[in-house]
Amino acid sequence: MAERHFSTLPELFSTLPELYRSEAADDALRAPGFSDIFVPGEGEVGAPLMLIGEQPGNQEDLTGHPFVGPAGHLLDENLAAIGVDRMTTFVTNAVKRFKFTLRGKRRLHQTPNAGDIARYRWWLKEEVRLVKPRVVVALGRTALRALDGVSLKNDRGALLSWNGRKLLATIHPSYLLRLHDRRDEAEARFREDLRIAARGAGYGV
Ligand code: URA
């Protein structure tokens, strides 16, 4: 399937299941270096808050569900800490398959490049259009690149106007897992970002 860009994308599907079923026929998405497993977004249509990560990791690839590994646990914990049940949100990724290289038997995560992000951008656009969240949270740089042009450095933690909705940029939770020093401080700031997004989406938190 040809690449499509966010602003010029046609409206292609009327439901999420229809959108996700279409991937089975889409061999063009099985680029070298990617898993065959497509991990769709999860949550309810109409969820007020949409959280967008980078791509499925090893655990997500094995289970077919987004954010179920260590980064997902950290996301769940921080949402719960501000009084948001993840089940009331919609969770997805900018890229829908795990990109990795093999080292022996280990599958090592590879960061998606601009072409990978562009190839999957229309999925994200369709998810946003069909779910209709009030606030979209970009978790880290890949999600931000997928959503166009917002800078984590300059715009982090603010509710920005974006495509008729609000967008908040914050870190990816896996960044916290890599921190040795000052993780508590960084996690508190991440939680505060989530709280601002949740309030903007209408949660009483
Ligand atoms: N990291 C992501 O960005 N997404 C997942 O689903 C899991 C880990």
Side-chain angles (χ1 to χ4, degrees):
M1 198 173 293
E3 278 178 21
R4 296 191 187 84
H5 294 281
F6 229 154
S7 48
T8 55
L9 294 174
E11 298 181 2
L12 294 170
F13 299 96
S14 40
T15 67
L16 279 176
E18 213 184 287
L19 166 67
Y20 294 141
R21 268 199 304 276
S22 76
E23 75 81 28
D26 191 359
D27 290 337
L29 287 176
R30 284 188 191 82
F34 283 87
S35 165
D36 279 352
I37 305 298
F38 180 95
V39 179
E42 239 170 41
E44 298 295 324
V45 168
L49 191 60
M50 179 183 268
L51 301 146
I52 304 174
E54 179 194 74
Q55 64 171 352
N58 192 52
Q59 295 294 319
E60 291 76 19
D61 184 67
L62 295 173
T63 59
H65 298 285
F67 277 107
V68 291
H73 291 145
L74 203 51
L75 178 62
D76 292 355
E77 273 168 32
N78 279 282
L79 286 172
I82 59 162
V84 174
D85 178 352
R86 168 184 165 158
M87 300 297 279
T88 64
T89 72
F90 191 92
V91 178
T92 193
N93 282 301
V95 168
K96 303 286 194 269
R97 295 179 205 268
F98 180 33
K99 185 178 186 186
F100 63 93
T101 52
L102 275 177
R103 178 155 322 144
K105 288 189 180 157
R106 287 186 61 211
R107 303 194 300 171
L108 301 183
H109 166 278
Q110 297 286 291
T111 302
N113 61 32
D116 302 327
I117 295 168
R119 193 178 307 118
Y120 283 94
R121 188 173 275 125
W122 72 271
W123 288 93
L124 203 52
K125 158 97 188 219
E126 284 291 85
E127 287 175 316
V128 171
R129 186 178 65 79
L130 293 167
V131 174
K132 300 183 175 44
R134 284 195 205 150
V135 177
V136 171
V137 177
L139 299 167
R141 290 207 163 78
T142 297
L144 277 171
R145 288 174 82 187
L147 299 176
D148 301 329
V150 176
S151 134
L152 188 55
K153 190 160 166 249
N154 299 327
D155 301 318
R156 176 170 177 185
L159 278 177
L160 308 168
S161 292
W162 174 84
N163 283 294
R165 308 183 186 281
K166 297 286 181 206
L167 169 67
L168 183 136
T170 187
I171 55 160
H172 192 286
S174 64
Y175 167 73
L176 298 173
L177 295 170
R178 294 193 297 271
L179 284 182
H180 300 297
D181 301 326
R182 299 162 58 131
R183 169 162 161 183
D184 288 353
E185 207 179 297
E187 191 162 350
R189 187 167 172 212
F190 176 59
R191 199 175 304 147
E192 207 39 47
D193 289 344
L194 292 177
R195 196 192 311 275
I196 292 166
R199 275 199 195 126
Y203 291 82
V205 295

